Amino acid sequence: RGPTDVAGWLATAGRHALTHHHPESLAPHVAFPPWLLVKVVGPARCWAVATGAAPGRGGFAKAAARGLALSLCYVMHADWYNDVCDVDVDAKNKPARPLPSGACSVGQGLLVAGFYYCLGLAAALAHPNAGLRAAYATAFAAACASAFLYSDDFLPTRRVGRRTPLGRCLGFCGIYAAFDALMYCEACDALALAPTPLSENPLFPAFLWAGASTIPWNLALLTAKDLGDVAGDAAAGLRTLPGCLPDDLSRARLVLAFLALARLADA
């Protein structure tokens, strides 16, 4: 497991902090912040601000950058913490990942997860506006808490998610619901709007629809993510939607059905 002295141990953790091993979750967290921002604010308004036809280009750009940074801090924190909790599953499905391979210890994985949590919280608390600062920090902490509830084996929420496909789907959608709240803060930040009270915010109805429309995308992502791990998940006692279906063709049809539903929700 590498060096055991403090400096060497921390250096190993630092090297792994710059790596990520879940491309199926990293890509959506790069794409979702700008996509949800355009969807909530509206393409015409975004284009007008970007081209200078409407004021606020500097604030809009800062909000977009802040949303992307918080999204990346969240996904790094959540996936590293999930890796710590899923060592037994990854040993069967992804043995080359740092924890099951022995390249990184559980303690180092927890340190990396904690580092990205603190980094994201610091970025949220650095906002100059008190209302948006509190909203960003609360939403980021809630997103990370939802990942904790989904991942930690000592919690009943995790046991339900492992034993029932429906529980796994609900847990995954719950994580993204909390993440969508973070993106709501990004949209309010871009237009210099107070995030609360919700009833007085003109973006909130659009945000609710945008968040709801991501549910089939989330289910398609979860199902596609589990497609290659059916045998390993079953061996580890993890019940997934693809694992409940008899063959690869029916599993592929399920992914396509979720994608078609997602496209209809976007229409």
Side-chain angles (χ1 to χ4, degrees):
R1 289 189 181 275
T4 56
D5 62 287
V6 174
W9 190 89
L10 290 174
T12 300
R15 284 196 302 273
H16 286 291
L18 301 176
T19 65
H20 187 267
H21 312 282
H22 298 256
E24 75 285 348
S25 60
L26 183 63
H29 284 87
V30 172
F32 271 175
W35 178 74
L36 280 173
L37 182 60
V38 171
K39 191 171 180 65
V40 171
V41 174
R45 180 69 180 272
C46 290
W47 179 254
V49 172
T51 58
R57 182 160 52 185
F60 201 94
K62 288 179 182 178
R66 186 176 290 110
L68 180 59
L70 287 171
S71 177
L72 292 176
C73 285
Y74 161 75
V75 74
M76 292 294 285
H77 162 79
D79 283 344
W80 270 99
Y81 187 71
N82 184 261
D83 281 355
V84 168
C85 297
D86 267 357
V87 174
D88 59 331
V89 177
D90 287 342
K92 297 177 176 63
N93 289 331
K94 306 285 192 309
R97 283 182 176 172
L99 279 116
S101 70
C104 179
S105 70
V106 167
Q108 288 164 330
L110 285 172
L111 180 63
V112 173
F115 167 76
Y116 280 107
Y117 177 82
C118 293
L119 184 63
L121 201 58
L125 293 172
H127 198 287
N129 179 277
L132 282 165
R133 182 165 61 241
Y136 266 127
T138 302
F140 182 79
C144 292
S146 68
F148 172 74
L149 292 172
Y150 180 80
S151 299
D152 198 290
D153 281 325
F154 293 103
L155 299 174
T157 46
R158 168 64 168 172
R159 291 194 289 274
V160 170
R162 285 178 73 102
R163 293 172 185 169
T164 65
L166 178 60
R168 182 167 170 81
C169 291
L170 290 174
F172 199 73
C173 289
I175 287 176
Y176 276 93
F179 176 77
D180 287 344
L182 190 60
M183 297 299 97
Y184 168 69
C185 297
E186 176 196 30
C188 293
D189 190 9
L191 297 183
L193 295 173
T196 56
L198 299 177
S199 59
E200 297 179 12
N201 191 303
L203 291 181
F204 188 63
F207 160 74
L208 284 179
W209 175 246
S213 71
T214 64
I215 291 174
W217 286 112
N218 297 337
L219 293 175
L221 174 64
L222 176 64
T223 305
K225 175 176 173 292
D226 289 336
L227 279 178
D229 299 335
V230 172
D233 286 341
L238 187 65
R239 297 194 63 199
T240 65
L241 278 178
C244 295
L245 298 175
D247 52 51
D248 289 341
L249 180 60
S250 56
R251 293 164 189 152
R253 284 172 175 166
L254 180 61
V255 175
L256 292 174
F258 282 137
L259 289 174
L261 186 59
R263 188 66 190 89
L264 284 174
D266 268 344

